[in-house]
């Protein structure tokens, strides 16, 4: 499109790309600048041109007002983010600097624009408390499951131990589960299983007396299930 009184040589894809790039560079180098204005970009364009005129031509205020303003307006828009949201929900994070600059003298308008930010923070804190509680519940569940697994490990070992006894085989129908004859340490541990289980899985198995025929807690539970 040709504009009267304006140089049309700037209306090219290459120039538009450079204008957009300059705006993005300015915002990156000045993240807390607030609203970017045409005068800011004119000064920045001049500065870049003085440093590297081969890659950064100088663009005056007319060029920025005519061709660069869409890129300036785009960068000045509030940021959109998925901050603490579901996959289908976005939160618009207010540009606080922009809001204060625009409405600093109007308290009512200022509150209207900043109120959503306050609500987002409250929601964020509530979500954090909820996640902490869920984490605590999961940790309790994991602890309980680990204790259950340990109990059944001990239960299985006790049943294997009692399955060696001819008396229990005949009385409760137990079947010999394992062979321990290949290892003297295993023999001793299995003959003193209750004490071995209570001594960190056999750390002190040499310090206990043999109790091969004493009914264990595991066997008592097993008998209850058989009835």
């Amino acid at each position: 499109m040709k504009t009267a009184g304006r140089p049309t040589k700037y209306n090219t894809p290459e120039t538009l790309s450079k204008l957009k790039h300059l705006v993005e560079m300015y915002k990156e180098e000045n993240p807390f600048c607030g609203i970017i204005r045409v005068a800011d970009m004119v000064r920045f364009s001049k500065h870049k041109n003085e440093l590297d005129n081969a890659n950064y031509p100088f663009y005056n205020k007319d060029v920025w007002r005519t061709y660069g303003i869409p890129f300036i307006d785009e960068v000045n828009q509030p940021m959109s983010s998925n901050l603490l949201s579901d996959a289908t929900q976005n939160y618009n994070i207010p540009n606080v600097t922009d809001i204060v600059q625009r409405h600093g003298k109007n308290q009512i308008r200022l509150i209207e624009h900043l109120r959503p930010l306050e609500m987002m923070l409250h929601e964020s804190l509530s979500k954090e408390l909820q996640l902490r509680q869920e984490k605590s519940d999961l940790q309790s569940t994991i602890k309980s499951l680990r204790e259950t697994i340990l109990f059944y490990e001990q239960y299985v070992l006790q049943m294997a131990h009692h399955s060696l006894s001819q008396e229990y085989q005949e009385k409760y129908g137990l079947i010999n589960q394992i062979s321990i004859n290949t290892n003297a340490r295993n023999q001793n541990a299995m003959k003193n299983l209750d004490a071995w289980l209570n001594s960190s899985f056999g750390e002190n198995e040499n310090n206990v007396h043999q109790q091969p025929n004493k009914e264990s807690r595991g066997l008592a539970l097993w008998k209850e299930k058989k009835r």
Side-chain angles (χ1 to χ4, degrees):
M1 182 179 68
K2 196 170 183 178
T3 306
R6 297 288 189 272
T8 57
K9 66 177 182 178
Y10 297 110
N11 191 18
T12 65
E14 181 181 1
T15 299
L16 296 177
S17 177
K18 288 183 178 180
L19 291 171
K20 181 178 180 179
H21 180 59
L22 282 169
V23 174
E24 292 172 346
M25 286 181 61
Y26 181 82
K27 184 65 175 179
E28 182 178 351
E29 294 181 14
N30 303 274
F32 305 109
C33 63
I35 290 295
I36 300 176
R37 308 186 187 284
V38 168
D40 298 324
M41 293 312 306
V42 173
R43 286 192 294 269
F44 186 67
S45 176
K46 183 178 181 180
H47 172 67
K48 298 298 291 185
N49 175 257
E50 292 173 349
L51 295 177
D52 185 2
N53 59 11
N55 292 314
Y56 296 100
F58 170 66
Y59 301 112
N60 60 33
K61 64 179 180 180
D62 291 332
V63 176
W64 281 107
R65 285 175 177 171
T66 305
Y67 302 105
I69 200 68
F71 309 122
I72 295 175
D73 290 342
E74 181 180 355
V75 171
N76 285 335
Q77 291 299 313
M79 295 174 291
S80 180
S81 171
N82 288 333
L83 178 66
L84 295 178
S85 67
D86 298 326
T88 58
Q89 184 179 9
N90 288 332
Y91 287 109
N92 287 323
I93 302 176
N95 188 326
V96 177
T97 304
D98 177 22
I99 292 172
V100 173
Q101 288 181 345
R102 290 177 182 268
H103 308 292
K105 296 181 180 180
N106 188 332
Q107 292 186 357
I108 294 178
R109 292 288 293 169
L110 194 61
I111 292 172
E112 288 177 353
H113 283 82
L114 294 181
R115 177 64 177 168
L117 181 59
E118 179 185 2
M119 296 175 63
M120 288 170 59
L121 290 173
H122 282 296
E123 183 175 346
S124 175
L125 291 174
S126 297
K127 185 67 174 180
E128 181 181 352
L129 291 176
Q130 177 185 343
L131 292 174
R132 286 185 178 183
Q133 183 61 49
E134 291 177 359
K135 178 183 176 182
S136 178
D137 293 342
L138 287 174
Q139 288 175 333
S140 297
T141 300
I142 291 172
K143 181 180 179 181
S144 176
L145 289 174
R146 284 176 175 170
E147 292 174 349
T148 300
I149 291 171
L150 179 60
F151 167 76
Y152 279 108
E153 286 178 347
Q154 295 176 343
Y155 178 85
V156 170
L157 286 174
Q158 290 170 343
M159 293 305 300
H161 163 62
H162 289 297
S163 72
L164 296 172
S165 170
Q166 182 70 28
E167 177 184 350
Y168 292 141
Q169 290 177 11
E170 295 176 356
K171 188 175 182 179
Y172 302 114
L174 296 178
I175 300 175
N176 190 2
Q177 299 295 316
I178 61 175
S179 174
I180 62 173
N181 296 326
T182 58
N183 190 298
R185 180 176 180 275
N186 287 346
Q187 287 181 332
N188 188 38
M190 292 301 289
K191 289 178 181 179
N192 301 278
L193 187 63
D194 288 333
W196 185 70
L197 288 171
N198 293 327
S199 61
S200 300
F201 292 98
E203 289 180 0
N204 301 311
E205 68 265 28
N206 294 323
N207 298 325
V208 297
H209 297 289
Q210 296 184 1
Q211 300 175 354
N213 294 321
K214 183 178 180 180
E215 291 188 3
S216 66
R217 181 182 175 212
L219 181 60
L221 291 173
W222 183 83
K223 287 193 300 183
E224 291 295 328
K225 293 181 179 293
K226 291 286 289 185
R227 291 177 180 175

